[in-house]
Coordinates of all heavy atoms in Angstrom, one line a residue:
W11 N 89.3 63.1 98.2 CA 90.3 63.5 97.2 C 91.2 62.3 96.8 O 91.3 61.3 97.5 CB 91.1 64.7 97.6 CG 91.9 64.5 98.9 CD1 91.6 65.1 100.1 CD2 93.1 63.8 99.2 NE1 92.5 64.8 101.1 CE2 93.4 64.0 100.6 CE3 93.9 62.9 98.5 CZ2 94.5 63.4 101.1 CZ3 95.0 62.4 99.1 CH2 95.3 62.6 100.4
M12 N 91.9 62.4 95.7 CA 92.8 61.4 95.3 C 94.1 62.1 94.8 O 94.1 63.1 94.2 CB 92.2 60.6 94.2 CG 93.1 59.5 93.7 SD 92.3 58.5 92.5 CE 93.2 57.0 92.6
E13 N 95.2 61.5 95.2 CA 96.5 62.0 94.7 C 97.2 60.8 93.9 O 97.2 59.7 94.4 CB 97.4 62.4 95.9 CG 96.9 63.6 96.6 CD 97.8 64.1 97.7 OE1 98.9 63.5 97.9 OE2 97.5 65.1 98.3
M14 N 97.8 61.1 92.8 CA 98.5 60.1 92.0 C 100.0 60.5 91.8 O 100.3 61.7 91.8 CB 97.9 60.1 90.6 CG 96.4 59.5 90.6 SD 96.3 57.8 91.1 CE 97.2 57.0 89.8
Y15 N 100.8 59.5 91.8 CA 102.2 59.8 91.7 C 102.8 58.8 90.6 O 102.4 57.6 90.6 CB 103.0 59.5 93.0 CG 102.5 60.4 94.1 CD1 101.4 59.9 94.9 CD2 103.0 61.6 94.3 CE1 101.0 60.7 96.0 CE2 102.5 62.4 95.4 CZ 101.5 62.0 96.2 OH 101.0 62.7 97.2
A16 N 103.8 59.3 89.8 CA 104.5 58.4 88.9 C 105.6 57.7 89.6 O 106.2 58.3 90.5 CB 105.0 59.2 87.7
I17 N 105.8 56.4 89.3 CA 107.0 55.7 89.8 C 108.0 55.8 88.7 O 107.8 55.2 87.6 CB 106.7 54.3 90.2 CG1 105.5 54.2 91.2 CG2 107.9 53.5 90.7 CD1 105.0 52.8 91.5
M18 N 109.1 56.4 88.9 CA 110.1 56.7 87.9 C 111.5 56.2 88.4 O 111.8 56.2 89.5 CB 110.3 58.2 87.6 CG 109.0 58.9 87.3 SD 108.4 58.5 85.6 CE 109.6 59.3 84.6
L19 N 112.3 55.7 87.4 CA 113.7 55.4 87.7 C 114.5 56.6 87.4 O 114.3 57.3 86.4 CB 114.2 54.2 86.7 CG 113.6 52.9 87.0 CD1 114.2 51.9 86.0 CD2 113.9 52.4 88.4
R20 N 115.5 56.9 88.3 CA 116.3 58.0 88.1 C 117.1 57.9 86.8 O 117.6 56.8 86.5 CB 117.3 58.2 89.2 CG 116.6 58.6 90.5 CD 117.7 58.9 91.5 NE 117.0 59.3 92.7 CZ 117.4 59.0 94.0 NH1 118.5 58.2 94.1 NH2 116.8 59.4 95.0
P21 N 117.3 59.0 86.1 CA 118.1 58.9 84.9 C 119.6 58.6 85.2 O 120.1 59.0 86.3 CB 118.0 60.2 84.2 CG 117.6 61.1 85.3 CD 116.8 60.3 86.3
S22 N 120.3 57.9 84.3 CA 121.7 57.8 84.4 C 122.4 58.5 83.3 O 122.0 58.2 82.1 CB 122.1 56.3 84.5 OG 121.7 55.6 83.3
G23 N 123.3 59.3 83.6 CA 124.0 60.0 82.6 C 123.1 61.0 81.8 O 122.3 61.7 82.4
S24 N 123.1 60.9 80.5 CA 122.2 61.8 79.7 C 120.9 61.1 79.3 O 120.1 61.7 78.6 CB 123.0 62.2 78.4 OG 123.2 61.0 77.6
E25 N 120.6 59.9 79.8 CA 119.4 59.3 79.5 C 118.2 59.9 80.3 O 118.4 60.3 81.5 CB 119.5 57.8 79.8 CG 120.6 57.1 79.0 CD 120.3 55.6 78.8 OE1 119.2 55.2 79.2 OE2 121.1 55.0 78.2
P26 N 117.0 59.9 79.8 CA 115.9 60.4 80.5 C 115.4 59.4 81.6 O 115.7 58.3 81.6 CB 114.8 60.6 79.5 CG 115.2 59.6 78.4 CD 116.7 59.5 78.4
A27 N 114.6 60.0 82.6 CA 114.0 59.1 83.6 C 113.1 58.1 82.9 O 112.5 58.4 81.8 CB 113.2 59.9 84.6
T28 N 112.9 56.9 83.5 CA 112.1 55.8 82.9 C 110.9 55.7 83.8 O 110.9 55.5 85.0 CB 112.9 54.5 82.9 OG1 114.1 54.7 82.2 CG2 112.1 53.4 82.3
F29 N 109.7 55.7 83.1 CA 108.4 55.4 83.8 C 108.3 54.0 84.1 O 108.4 53.1 83.2 CB 107.3 55.9 82.9 CG 105.9 55.7 83.5 CD1 105.4 56.6 84.4 CD2 105.1 54.6 83.1 CE1 104.2 56.4 85.0 CE2 103.9 54.4 83.6 CZ 103.4 55.3 84.6
V30 N 108.0 53.6 85.3 CA 107.9 52.3 85.8 C 106.4 51.9 86.1 O 106.0 50.8 85.8 CB 108.7 52.1 87.1 CG1 108.5 50.7 87.7 CG2 110.2 52.2 86.8
G31 N 105.7 52.9 86.6 CA 104.3 52.7 86.9 C 103.7 53.9 87.7 O 104.3 55.0 87.6
A32 N 102.6 53.7 88.4 CA 102.0 54.7 89.1 C 101.4 54.2 90.4 O 101.2 53.0 90.6 CB 100.8 55.3 88.3
M33 N 101.3 55.2 91.3 CA 100.8 54.8 92.7 C 99.8 56.0 93.1 O 100.1 57.1 92.8 CB 102.0 54.7 93.6 CG 101.6 54.4 95.0 SD 103.1 54.0 96.0 CE 103.5 52.4 95.4
G34 N 98.8 55.7 93.8 CA 97.9 56.7 94.2 C 97.3 56.5 95.6 O 97.3 55.3 96.1
V35 N 96.8 57.5 96.2 CA 96.2 57.5 97.5 C 94.8 58.1 97.4 O 94.6 59.2 96.8 CB 97.0 58.3 98.5 CG1 96.3 58.3 99.9 CG2 98.4 57.8 98.7
L36 N 93.8 57.3 97.8 CA 92.4 57.7 97.8 C 92.0 57.9 99.2 O 92.0 57.0 100.0 CB 91.5 56.7 97.1 CG 90.0 56.9 97.1 CD1 89.7 58.2 96.4 CD2 89.3 55.7 96.6
R37 N 91.6 59.1 99.6 CA 91.1 59.4 100.9 C 89.6 58.9 101.0 O 88.8 59.3 100.2 CB 91.1 60.9 101.3 CG 90.6 61.2 102.7 CD 90.6 62.6 103.0 NE 91.9 63.1 103.2 CZ 92.2 64.3 103.8 NH1 91.2 65.0 104.3 NH2 93.4 64.7 103.9
L38 N 89.3 58.1 102.0 CA 88.0 57.4 102.1 C 87.1 58.1 103.1 O 85.9 57.8 103.2 CB 88.1 56.0 102.4 CG 88.9 55.1 101.4 CD1 89.0 53.7 101.9 CD2 88.2 55.2 100.1
S39 N 87.7 59.0 103.9 CA 86.9 59.7 104.9 C 87.4 61.2 105.0 O 88.5 61.5 104.7 CB 87.1 59.1 106.3 OG 88.4 59.2 106.8
E40 N 86.5 62.1 105.3 CA 86.8 63.5 105.4 C 87.8 63.8 106.5 O 88.6 64.8 106.3 CB 85.5 64.3 105.7 CG 84.6 64.4 104.5 CD 85.2 65.2 103.3 OE1 85.9 66.2 103.6 OE2 85.0 64.7 102.2
D41 N 87.8 63.1 107.6 CA 88.7 63.4 108.6 C 90.2 62.8 108.4 O 91.1 63.0 109.2 CB 88.2 62.9 110.0 CG 88.0 61.3 110.0 OD1 88.4 60.6 109.0 OD2 87.5 60.8 111.0
G42 N 90.4 62.1 107.3 CA 91.7 61.6 107.0 C 92.0 60.3 107.7 O 93.2 59.9 107.7
E43 N 91.1 59.7 108.4 CA 91.4 58.5 109.1 C 91.4 57.3 108.3 O 91.8 56.2 108.7 CB 90.3 58.4 110.3 CG 90.5 59.5 111.3 CD 91.8 59.3 112.1 OE1 92.2 58.2 112.4 OE2 92.4 60.4 112.5
A44 N 90.8 57.3 107.1 CA 90.8 56.1 106.2 C 91.2 56.5 104.8 O 90.8 57.5 104.3 CB 89.3 55.6 106.2
G45 N 92.0 55.6 104.3 CA 92.5 55.9 102.9 C 92.9 54.5 102.3 O 93.0 53.5 103.0
E46 N 93.1 54.6 101.0 CA 93.5 53.4 100.3 C 94.6 53.7 99.3 O 94.6 54.7 98.7 CB 92.3 52.9 99.5 CG 92.5 51.6 98.8 CD 91.2 51.0 98.2 OE1 90.4 50.6 98.9 OE2 91.1 51.1 96.9
I47 N 95.6 52.8 99.3 CA 96.7 53.0 98.3 C 96.6 52.0 97.2 O 96.4 50.8 97.5 CB 98.1 52.9 99.1 CG1 98.3 54.0 100.1 CG2 99.3 52.9 98.0 CD1 99.5 53.8 101.0
G48 N 96.8 52.4 96.0 CA 96.8 51.4 94.9 C 98.0 51.7 94.0 O 98.5 52.8 94.0
Y49 N 98.4 50.7 93.3 CA 99.6 51.0 92.4 C 99.5 50.0 91.2 O 98.8 49.0 91.3 CB 100.9 50.8 93.1 CG 101.2 49.4 93.6 CD1 101.9 48.5 92.8 CD2 100.8 49.0 94.8 CE1 102.2 47.2 93.2 CE2 101.1 47.7 95.3 CZ 101.8 46.8 94.4 OH 102.1 45.6 94.9
G50 N 100.2 50.4 90.2 CA 100.4 49.5 89.0 C 101.8 49.7 88.5 O 102.3 50.8 88.5
V51 N 102.4 48.5 88.1 CA 103.8 48.5 87.6 C 103.8 47.9 86.3 O 103.1 46.8 86.1 CB 104.7 47.8 88.6 CG1 106.1 47.7 88.0 CG2 104.8 48.5 89.9
L52 N 104.4 48.4 85.3 CA 104.5 47.8 84.0 C 105.2 46.5 84.1 O 106.1 46.3 84.9 CB 105.4 48.7 83.0 CG 104.8 50.1 82.7 CD1 105.7 50.9 81.9 CD2 103.4 49.9 81.9
P53 N 104.7 45.5 83.3 CA 105.2 44.1 83.5 C 106.7 43.9 83.3 O 107.3 43.1 84.0 CB 104.4 43.3 82.3 CG 103.2 44.1 82.1 CD 103.6 45.6 82.4
E54 N 107.3 44.7 82.5 CA 108.8 44.6 82.3 C 109.6 45.0 83.5 O 110.8 44.8 83.6 CB 109.2 45.4 81.0 CG 109.0 46.8 81.1 CD 107.7 47.2 80.3 OE1 106.7 46.5 80.4 OE2 107.7 48.3 79.7
H55 N 108.9 45.6 84.5 CA 109.5 46.0 85.7 C 109.1 45.2 86.9 O 109.5 45.5 88.1 CB 109.3 47.5 86.0 CG 109.8 48.4 84.9 ND1 111.2 48.6 84.7 CD2 109.2 49.2 84.0 CE1 111.4 49.4 83.7 NE2 110.2 49.8 83.2
W56 N 108.3 44.2 86.7 CA 107.9 43.3 87.8 C 109.1 42.6 88.4 O 110.0 42.3 87.8 CB 106.9 42.3 87.4 CG 105.5 42.8 87.0 CD1 105.1 44.1 87.1 CD2 104.4 42.1 86.5 NE1 103.8 44.2 86.6 CE2 103.4 43.0 86.3 CE3 104.2 40.8 86.2 CZ2 102.1 42.6 85.8 CZ3 103.0 40.4 85.7 CH2 102.0 41.3 85.5
G57 N 109.0 42.4 89.7 CA 110.0 41.6 90.4 C 111.3 42.3 90.7 O 112.3 41.6 91.1
K58 N 111.3 43.6 90.5 CA 112.6 44.3 90.7 C 112.6 45.1 92.0 O 113.5 45.8 92.3 CB 112.9 45.2 89.5 CG 113.1 44.5 88.2 CD 113.3 45.4 87.1 CE 113.5 44.6 85.8 NZ 113.6 45.5 84.6
G59 N 111.5 45.1 92.8 CA 111.4 45.7 94.0 C 111.0 47.2 94.0 O 111.1 47.9 95.0
Y60 N 110.5 47.7 92.8 CA 110.2 49.1 92.7 C 108.9 49.5 93.5 O 108.9 50.5 94.1 CB 110.0 49.5 91.2 CG 111.3 49.3 90.4 CD1 111.2 48.8 89.1 CD2 112.5 49.6 90.9 CE1 112.4 48.6 88.3 CE2 113.7 49.5 90.1 CZ 113.6 49.0 88.9 OH 114.7 48.8 88.1
A61 N 107.9 48.6 93.4 CA 106.7 48.9 94.1 C 106.9 49.0 95.6 O 106.4 50.0 96.3 CB 105.6 47.9 93.8
P62 N 107.5 48.0 96.3 CA 107.7 48.1 97.7 C 108.6 49.4 98.1 O 108.3 50.0 99.1 CB 108.5 46.9 98.1 CG 108.1 45.9 97.0 CD 108.0 46.7 95.8
E63 N 109.5 49.7 97.3 CA 110.4 50.9 97.6 C 109.5 52.1 97.5 O 109.6 53.0 98.3 CB 111.5 51.0 96.6 CG 112.5 52.1 96.8 CD 113.7 52.1 95.9 OE1 113.9 51.1 95.2 OE2 114.3 53.1 95.9
A64 N 108.7 52.2 96.4 CA 107.8 53.4 96.3 C 106.8 53.5 97.4 O 106.5 54.5 97.9 CB 107.1 53.4 94.9
L65 N 106.3 52.3 97.8 CA 105.3 52.3 98.9 C 105.9 52.8 100.2 O 105.2 53.5 100.9 CB 104.7 50.8 99.0 CG 103.7 50.7 100.1 CD1 102.5 51.5 99.9 CD2 103.3 49.2 100.2
K66 N 107.1 52.4 100.5 CA 107.8 52.9 101.7 C 107.9 54.4 101.7 O 107.6 55.0 102.7 CB 109.2 52.2 101.8 CG 109.2 50.8 102.3 CD 110.6 50.4 102.7 CE 111.0 49.4 101.6 NZ 112.4 48.9 101.8
L67 N 108.3 54.9 100.5 CA 108.4 56.4 100.5 C 107.0 57.1 100.6 O 106.9 58.1 101.3 CB 109.0 56.8 99.1 CG 110.4 56.4 98.9 CD1 110.8 56.6 97.4 CD2 111.3 57.2 99.8
L68 N 106.0 56.5 100.0 CA 104.7 57.1 100.1 C 104.1 57.1 101.5 O 103.6 58.1 102.0 CB 103.7 56.4 99.1 CG 102.3 57.0 99.0 CD1 102.4 58.4 98.3 CD2 101.4 56.1 98.2
V69 N 104.2 55.9 102.2 CA 103.8 55.8 103.5 C 104.5 56.7 104.5 O 104.0 57.4 105.3 CB 103.9 54.3 104.0 CG1 103.6 54.2 105.5 CG2 102.8 53.5 103.3
N70 N 105.8 56.8 104.3 CA 106.7 57.7 105.1 C 106.2 59.2 104.9 O 106.1 59.9 105.9 CB 108.1 57.6 104.7 CG 109.0 58.4 105.6 OD1 108.9 58.3 106.9 ND2 109.8 59.2 105.0
H71 N 105.9 59.5 103.7 CA 105.4 60.9 103.4 C 104.1 61.2 104.1 O 104.0 62.2 104.8 CB 105.2 61.1 101.9 CG 104.4 62.3 101.5 ND1 105.0 63.6 101.6 CD2 103.2 62.5 101.1 CE1 104.1 64.5 101.3 NE2 103.0 63.8 101.0
Y72 N 103.2 60.3 104.0 CA 101.9 60.5 104.7 C 102.0 60.3 106.2 O 101.2 60.9 107.0 CB 100.8 59.6 104.1 CG 100.3 60.2 102.8 CD1 100.7 59.7 101.6 CD2 99.4 61.3 102.9 CE1 100.2 60.2 100.4 CE2 98.9 61.8 101.7 CZ 99.3 61.3 100.5 OH 98.9 61.9 99.3
W73 N 102.9 59.5 106.7 CA 103.1 59.3 108.1 C 103.5 60.6 108.8 O 103.0 61.0 109.9 CB 104.2 58.3 108.4 CG 104.3 57.9 109.8 CD1 105.0 58.5 110.8 CD2 103.6 56.7 110.4 NE1 104.8 57.8 112.0 CE2 104.0 56.7 111.8 CE3 102.8 55.8 109.9 CZ2 103.6 55.8 112.7 CZ3 102.3 54.8 110.8 CH2 102.7 54.8 112.2
H74 N 104.3 61.4 108.1 CA 104.7 62.7 108.6 C 103.9 63.9 108.1 O 104.3 65.0 108.4 CB 106.2 62.9 108.3 CG 107.1 61.9 108.9 ND1 107.4 61.8 110.2 CD2 107.7 60.8 108.3 CE1 108.1 60.8 110.5 NE2 108.4 60.2 109.3
S75 N 102.8 63.6 107.4 CA 102.0 64.7 106.8 C 100.8 65.0 107.7 O 100.4 64.1 108.4 CB 101.5 64.2 105.4 OG 100.5 65.1 104.9
E76 N 100.3 66.2 107.6 CA 99.1 66.6 108.3 C 97.9 66.3 107.5 O 96.8 66.3 108.1 CB 99.2 68.1 108.6 CG 100.3 68.5 109.5 CD 100.2 67.9 110.9 OE1 99.1 67.8 111.5 OE2 101.3 67.5 111.5
S77 N 98.0 65.9 106.3 CA 96.8 65.7 105.4 C 96.1 64.4 105.7 O 94.9 64.3 105.4 CB 97.2 65.8 104.0 OG 98.1 64.8 103.6
M78 N 96.8 63.4 106.2 CA 96.1 62.1 106.6 C 96.8 61.6 107.8 O 97.9 61.7 108.0 CB 96.3 61.1 105.5 CG 95.4 61.3 104.3 SD 95.4 59.9 103.1 CE 94.3 58.8 104.0
S79 N 95.9 61.0 108.7 CA 96.4 60.3 109.9 C 96.5 58.8 109.6 O 95.5 58.2 109.6 CB 95.5 60.6 111.0 OG 95.9 59.9 112.2
I80 N 97.7 58.3 109.4 CA 97.8 56.8 109.1 C 98.5 56.1 110.3 O 99.1 55.1 110.1 CB 98.5 56.5 107.8 CG1 99.9 57.1 107.8 CG2 97.6 57.1 106.7 CD1 100.7 56.5 106.6
K81 N 98.5 56.7 111.4 CA 99.2 56.1 112.6 C 98.7 54.7 112.9 O 99.4 53.9 113.4 CB 99.2 57.0 113.8 CG 99.7 58.4 113.5 CD 101.1 58.5 113.2 CE 101.7 59.9 113.2 NZ 101.8 60.5 111.9
Q82 N 97.4 54.5 112.8 CA 96.8 53.2 113.0 C 96.3 52.8 111.6 O 95.6 53.5 110.9 CB 95.6 53.3 114.0 CG 96.1 53.8 115.3 CD 94.9 53.9 116.3 OE1 93.8 53.5 115.9 NE2 95.2 54.4 117.5
H83 N 96.6 51.5 111.3 CA 96.2 51.1 109.9 C 96.0 49.6 109.9 O 96.4 48.8 110.7 CB 97.3 51.5 108.9 CG 98.7 50.9 109.3 ND1 99.5 51.4 110.2 CD2 99.3 49.7 108.8 CE1 100.6 50.7 110.3 NE2 100.5 49.6 109.5
A84 N 95.2 49.2 108.9 CA 95.0 47.8 108.6 C 95.4 47.7 107.1 O 95.3 48.6 106.4 CB 93.5 47.5 108.8
C85 N 95.8 46.5 106.8 CA 96.3 46.3 105.5 C 95.7 45.1 104.8 O 95.6 44.0 105.4 CB 97.9 46.1 105.5 SG 98.6 46.0 103.9
H86 N 95.2 45.3 103.6 CA 94.7 44.2 102.8 C 95.5 44.3 101.4 O 95.4 45.3 100.8 CB 93.2 44.4 102.5 CG 92.7 43.4 101.5 ND1 92.5 42.1 101.8 CD2 92.3 43.5 100.2 CE1 92.0 41.5 100.7 NE2 91.9 42.3 99.8
I87 N 96.1 43.2 101.1 CA 96.9 43.2 99.8 C 96.3 42.3 98.8 O 95.9 41.1 99.2 CB 98.3 42.8 100.1 CG1 99.0 43.8 101.1 CG2 99.1 42.7 98.8 CD1 100.3 43.4 101.5
R88 N 96.1 42.7 97.6 CA 95.6 41.9 96.5 C 96.5 42.2 95.3 O 96.6 43.3 94.9 CB 94.1 42.2 96.1 CG 93.6 41.3 95.0 CD 92.2 41.7 94.7 NE 92.0 43.0 94.2 CZ 92.0 43.3 92.9 NH1 92.2 42.3 92.0 NH2 91.9 44.5 92.5
V89 N 97.1 41.1 94.8 CA 98.0 41.2 93.7 C 97.2 40.8 92.4 O 96.7 39.6 92.4 CB 99.3 40.4 93.8 CG1 100.1 40.5 92.6 CG2 100.0 40.9 95.1
A90 N 97.1 41.7 91.5 CA 96.4 41.3 90.2 C 97.5 40.7 89.3 O 98.5 41.2 89.1 CB 95.8 42.5 89.6
D91 N 97.1 39.6 88.7 CA 98.1 39.0 87.8 C 97.7 39.3 86.3 O 96.6 39.0 85.9 CB 98.1 37.5 88.0 CG 99.2 36.7 87.3 OD1 100.1 37.4 86.8 OD2 99.1 35.5 87.1
G92 N 98.7 39.8 85.6 CA 98.5 40.1 84.2 C 97.6 41.2 83.9 O 97.1 41.6 83.0

């Protein structure tokens, strides 16, 4: 299965929330022992720390969730440019 989430900036005052990008989790095994997280951020929001902040929230959610076991993990990071 795959779950997708929008990365949004909270609205200020009467302004609507701003779409920053998206993040998703792809389960790679039926037992929930393997998964992959991917994300994309619009270029105008690069370098503002939104992706790491969203990643922390997502990992925390799955760390405490029964749907995936991510207690042991390996990490491979690839940053796509442009």
Side-chain angles (χ1 to χ4, degrees):
W11 57 252
M12 181 174 204
E13 293 183 1
M14 294 293 297
Y15 302 91
I17 302 171
M18 305 287 291
L19 291 180
R20 289 186 180 143
S22 61
S24 62
E25 301 208 5
T28 303
F29 180 78
V30 171
M33 181 172 281
V35 178
L36 174 64
R37 182 184 286 200
L38 299 176
S39 66
E40 286 297 319
D41 61 7
E43 292 293 321
E46 182 174 292
I47 296 174
Y49 67 90
V51 175
L52 295 173
E54 60 264 35
H55 298 292
W56 290 359
K58 297 179 181 177
Y60 299 140
E63 184 177 346
L65 180 60
K66 281 190 250 180
L67 292 170
L68 188 67
V69 169
N70 186 55
H71 168 72
Y72 280 102
W73 190 273
H74 298 289
S75 169
E76 296 297 321
S77 63
M78 283 189 80
S79 173
I80 61 166
K81 304 298 191 262
Q82 298 177 5
H83 59 278
C85 184
H86 171 75
I87 300 173
R88 181 178 66 91
V89 177
D91 189 17

